C-alpha cells in the first residue's frame, strides 16, 4: 500500500475490529483503505456506507494504537495479492506476505481477491473421475475433476487428516498443484501441516494460505478469497489443474456472522447472518473449470453438535457434487477413515458416469451395509444365530466389507506405525466383487482390517 496522495478521510470511532471513517467522498464498497501506524500499515476493507459522508470498515490488522482523527488513505483498488509461479512451495498470509521466513514474493503482477466468476461461455464441463487411492471414497462417493467435494463431521472425527491425505494423493497421483486455505486454523495445525508436507516431499507443488484463529474476523472472512485468487492464477495463467483445499468452511461462515453482527445487521435463522446464502454462493461459484484448466475443491465442514440440518451446513451442502459424511459412530468402532457409507454420496454416482460395473458393485456394497444396519438391533438383542441363513451371510460379508473399507494413511504413518497405502480403483472394485461373490467367506474379519488390497491375503 503506497501513500500517494491526500487523505480521503479520518477515523472517528473504533468498535473492536470495526472503524467508522468520515470521508468527503465515499470509496466504493470492498475498497481497501489504510492508515499509517508508526512504521506499519493498517488495512481496512469498506463494508458499509452509513451516511453520505461516513462508512464502516473492518480492519484486517489489530486496532491497537489507532486513535480518533487518524488520516485514512485510499489504496485505489480492492485487496490484492502478489502472484507468480514462485508462490509454489510457500506459506503466506491473506496479503501474500510470507509466514515461512522466506523472501517476499518477487513480482509486479497482482490479482484482486474479489474477482468475478468465469463467464459462462468460457466454462468447461466437469471431467473424468479423480481417483484418490482411498477405497471408501473412490467406491461410494467418487470425486470428479473440476467438482466440489465436502467433508462433513463434528470435532475429532478426522476431517483434517483426510484433507491432508487428499493433498498427498493429488500431488503424487495426478501431479497437479494444491492450494490450501487455512480458515481460522490453530497455529499448531498450520505448523504440523507445513512440516508434514515438507517431509512428504509435496510442498514444492503446494501453496499454503493461512488466516489464523487469533486474527481479525475480517481476515478469517477473506482468507479463502485470497487462496481462491491464487488458484485462479494457477488455472488461468499457468494452465494447471488445481486442488483447492479449504479447512474449515464453517469458520468462514462464523467469521461472516461476526462481521455481520459488528456492522449492526439483525441476525437471521439460528443467529446466522442474513447474508449467509449469498456469501457462500459468492465463494462457491468461483470454484469452476475453464478452458485453461480445472479447479477441484475439497472442503472440510465442521458440523456443530453433529447436526446435519444446521443452516450453515445445508447451505454449503447445496453447492457440492460429492458429500463425504464422517460419523462419530464409525470412529467409535475403530473404522478409519470414519466415512458413513450410507449417508455419503455423489451426484456422479450413476451408470452413465461410472460405468455399469462400478455402479453395480457400489450399489451392492451399500445394499449389504444397509441391511446389516437394519439388523443390528436384532443381533444385539437375540444374537446373529436367530437370523435367516441368507441374512447371516449378508451380515458376515457386510462386516468384512466394513473392515475392508478401512485404510492406513501416509500422513498418519508416523503416529500409527502402519505404512500408508494407496489402492487403485480397479483393484478396489475387484476386491469388493470378490467379497460380494463369497470368495473370502471362509476368512476371519480381522484379516480385512487396516490393509490395502486383498492380493496375497491368507
Amino acid at each position: 500500500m503506497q501513500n500517494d496522495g491526500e487523505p480521503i478521510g479520518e477515523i472517528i470511532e473504533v468498535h473492536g475490529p470495526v472503524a467508522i471513517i468520515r470521508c468527503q467522498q465515499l470509496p466504493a464498497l470492498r475498497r481497501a483503505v489504510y492508515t499509517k501506524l508508526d512504521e506499519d500499515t493498517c488495512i481496512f476493507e469498506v463494508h458499509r456506507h452509513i451516511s453520505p459522508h461516513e462508512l464502516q470498515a473492518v480492519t484486517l490488522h489489530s486496532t491497537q494504537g489507532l486513535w480518533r482523527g487518524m488520516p485514512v488513505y485510499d489504496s485505489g483498488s480492492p485487496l490484492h495479492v502478489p502472484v507468480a509461479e514462485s508462490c509454489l512451495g510457500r506459506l503466506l498470509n491473506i496479503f501474500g506476505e510470507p509466514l515461512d521466513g522466506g523472501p517476499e514474493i518477487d513480482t509486479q503482477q497482482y490479482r484482486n481477491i474479489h474477482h468475478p466468476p468465469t463467464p459462462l461461455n468460457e466454462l468447461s464441463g466437469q471431467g473424468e473421475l479423480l481417483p484418490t487411492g482411498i477405497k471408501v471414497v473412490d467406491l461410494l462417493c467418487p470425486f470428479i475433476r473440476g467438482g466440489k467435494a465436502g467433508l462433513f463431521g463434528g470435532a475429532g472425527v478426522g476431517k483434517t487428516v483426510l484433507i491432508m491425505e487428499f493433498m498427498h494423493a493429488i500431488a503424487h497421483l495426478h501431479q497437479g498443484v494444491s492450494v490450501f486455505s487455512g480458515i481460522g486454523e490453530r497455529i499448531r495445525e498450520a505448523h504440523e501441516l507445513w512440516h508434514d508436507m515438507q517431509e512428504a516431499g509435496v510442498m514444492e507443488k503446494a501453496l499454503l494460505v493461512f488466516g489464523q484463529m487469533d486474527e481479525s474476523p475480517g481476515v478469517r472472512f477473506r482468507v479463502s478469497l485470497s487462496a481462491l485468487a491464487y488458484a485462479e492464477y494457477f488455472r488461468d495463467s499457468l494452465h494447471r489443474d488445481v486442488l483447492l483445499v479449504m479447512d474449515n468452511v464453517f469458520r468462514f461462515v462464523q467469521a461472516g456472522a461476526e462481521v455481520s453482527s459488528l456492522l449492526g445487521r439483525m441476525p437471521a435463522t439460528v443467529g446466522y447472518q442474513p447474508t449467509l446464502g449469498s456469501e457462500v454462493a459468492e465463494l462457491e461459484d468461483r470454484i469452476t473449470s475453464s478452458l485453461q484448466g480445472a479447479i477441484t475443491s475439497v472442503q472440510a465442514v465442521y458440523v456443530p453438535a453433529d447436526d446435519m440440518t444446521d443452516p450453515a451446513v445445508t447451505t454449503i451442502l447445496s453447492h457440492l457434487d460429492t458429500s463425504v459424511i464422517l460419523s462419530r459412530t464409525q470412529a467409535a468402532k475403530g473404522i478409519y477413515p470414519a466415512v458413513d457409507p450410507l449417508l455419503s454420496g455423489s451426484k456422479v454416482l450413476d451408470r452413465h458416469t461410472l460405468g455399469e460395473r462400478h455402479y453395480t458393485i457400489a450399489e451392492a456394497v451399500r445394499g449389504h451395509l444397509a441391511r446389516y444396519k437394519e439388523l443390528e438391533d436384532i443381533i444385539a438383542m437375540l444374537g446373529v444365530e436367530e437370523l435367516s441363513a441368507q441374512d447371516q451371510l449378508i451380515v458376515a460379508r457386510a462386516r468384512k466389507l466394513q473392515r475392508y473399507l478401512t485404510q492406513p494413511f501416509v500422513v498418519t504413518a508416523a503416529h500409527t506405525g502402519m505404512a500408508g497405502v494407496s489402492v487403485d480403483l480397479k483393484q478396489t472394485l475387484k476386491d469388493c466383487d470378490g467379497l460380494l461373490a463369497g470368495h473370502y467367506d471362509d476368512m476371519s474379519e480381522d484379516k480385512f482390517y487396516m490393509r490395502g488390497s486383498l492380493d496375497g491375503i491368507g
Side-chain angles (χ1 to χ4, degrees):
M1 298 286 173
Q2 297 295 319
N3 184 356
D4 292 328
E6 292 295 316
I8 61 164
E10 63 179 21
I11 296 174
I12 58 172
E13 293 181 40
V14 177
H15 303 281
V18 174
I20 298 179
I21 301 169
R22 180 181 290 130
C23 308
Q24 281 303 310
Q25 187 169 356
L26 295 177
L29 295 176
R30 298 186 172 180
R31 182 70 63 89
V33 298
Y34 64 98
T35 188
K36 293 287 186 178
L37 189 61
D38 298 327
E39 297 301 315
D40 297 324
T41 300
C42 184
I43 301 173
F44 302 86
E45 186 178 57
V46 178
H47 272 261
R48 188 181 180 200
H49 295 160
I50 53 178
S51 79
H53 296 291
E54 290 182 359
L55 62 86
Q56 284 179 308
V58 175
T59 180
L60 303 178
H61 292 87
S62 169
T63 55
Q64 186 174 357
L66 298 184
W67 39 270
R68 289 179 182 173
M70 284 188 79
V72 175
Y73 303 89
D74 189 353
S75 70
S77 71
L79 188 66
H80 53 263
V81 291
V83 291
E85 193 167 2
S86 60
C87 293
L88 288 172
R90 301 302 302 274
L91 180 67
L92 306 176
N93 66 9
I94 185 176
F95 309 108
E97 298 167 347
L99 296 173
D100 53 11
E104 299 281 338
I105 304 299
D106 185 18
T107 181
Q108 297 300 313
Q109 193 174 356
Y110 292 84
R111 192 175 182 106
N112 288 342
I113 69 167
H114 297 290
H115 200 271
T118 306
L120 280 172
N121 63 330
E122 295 178 18
L123 293 178
S124 67
Q126 290 176 333
E128 67 279 1
L129 288 184
L130 190 69
T132 63
I134 300 170
K135 294 180 285 189
V136 65
V137 172
D138 289 345
L139 177 68
L140 298 176
C141 36
F143 288 11
I144 194 164
R145 178 178 173 271
K148 294 191 275 279
L151 273 59
F152 294 82
V157 294
K159 296 186 297 299
T160 300
V161 170
L162 198 50
I163 282 275
M164 289 167 61
E165 189 73 10
F166 284 137
M167 292 183 72
H168 186 274
I170 292 296
H172 280 285
L173 295 177
H174 306 287
Q175 304 302 310
V177 300
S178 301
V179 177
F180 181 91
S181 172
I183 307 169
E185 284 283 279
R186 301 171 185 89
I187 194 165
R188 171 188 58 79
E189 292 176 338
H191 185 265
E192 287 177 359
L193 176 66
W194 182 38
H195 283 280
D196 286 346
M197 292 185 68
Q198 287 177 319
E199 290 167 10
V202 299
M203 191 62 207
E204 69 272 8
K205 293 181 180 176
L207 166 65
L208 310 184
V209 185
F210 282 102
Q212 294 172 48
M213 192 173 273
D214 63 338
E215 295 192 77
S216 158
V219 170
R220 289 180 274 119
F221 189 42
R222 294 305 192 199
V223 68
S224 54
L225 298 185
S226 283
L228 189 49
Y230 281 109
E232 290 171 333
Y233 166 75
F234 294 140
R235 179 195 67 189
D236 298 339
S237 299
L238 304 184
H239 309 298
R240 305 288 292 273
D241 281 356
V242 184
L243 175 71
L244 174 64
V245 180
M246 291 193 281
D247 186 11
N248 180 314
V249 183
F250 183 78
R251 295 201 195 110
F252 162 77
V253 173
Q254 278 187 313
E258 282 184 61
V259 169
S260 181
S261 62
L262 287 165
L263 296 176
R265 297 192 190 119
M266 185 70 71
T269 313
V270 200
Y272 288 111
Q273 61 270 44
T275 51
L276 171 65
S278 60
E279 288 170 3
V280 172
E282 181 183 8
L283 175 67
E284 299 286 356
D285 283 358
R286 284 174 58 187
I287 304 172
T288 54
S289 299
S290 71
L291 303 176
Q292 282 75 36
I295 298 179
T296 305
S297 175
V298 181
Q299 307 170 19
V301 184
Y302 169 71
V303 181
D306 293 335
D307 179 14
M308 288 297 295
T309 64
D310 184 87
V313 174
T314 56
T315 301
I316 296 165
L317 191 61
S318 66
H319 291 273
L320 303 178
D321 303 301
T322 300
S323 53
V324 181
I325 313 296
L326 299 178
S327 160
R328 202 170 298 282
T329 305
Q330 293 284 89
K333 293 176 182 175
I335 306 294
Y336 288 102
V339 176
D340 189 316
L342 302 180
L343 293 179
S344 303
S346 175
K347 292 178 181 175
V348 299
L349 197 65
D350 58 47
R351 288 184 173 87
H352 175 73
T353 309
L354 301 182
E356 185 66 36
R357 183 165 183 261
H358 185 165
Y359 178 80
T360 303
I361 292 173
E363 286 300 293
V365 168
R366 190 167 275 162
H368 276 61
L369 294 172
R371 182 60 179 159
Y372 174 41
K373 186 175 177 65
E374 289 173 10
L375 296 170
E376 275 184 326
D377 288 343
I378 295 174
I379 294 169
M381 289 186 291
L382 303 177
V384 73
E385 298 80 10
E386 296 301 314
L387 301 178
S388 67
Q390 180 65 25
D391 278 343
Q392 285 187 36
L393 192 60
I394 288 173
V395 166
R397 290 176 183 172
R399 288 176 63 87
K400 287 171 184 170
L401 282 165
Q402 192 178 55
R403 282 152 181 76
Y404 170 72
L405 293 176
T406 62
Q407 188 169 341
F409 283 167
V410 173
V411 296
T412 59
H415 305 288
T416 62
M418 290 185 285
V421 293
S422 176
V423 183
D424 184 71
L425 176 59
K426 290 181 180 177
Q427 183 66 46
T428 301
L429 293 175
K430 176 188 169 189
D431 292 344
C432 289
D433 200 16
L435 280 160
L436 293 166
H439 298 166
Y440 304 98
D441 283 355
D442 57 342
M443 293 188 181
S444 62
E445 295 171 1
D446 60 330
K447 290 184 180 291
F448 298 87
Y449 182 69
M450 279 294 172
R451 62 174 298 130
S453 73
L454 297 184
D455 286 350
I457 191 174

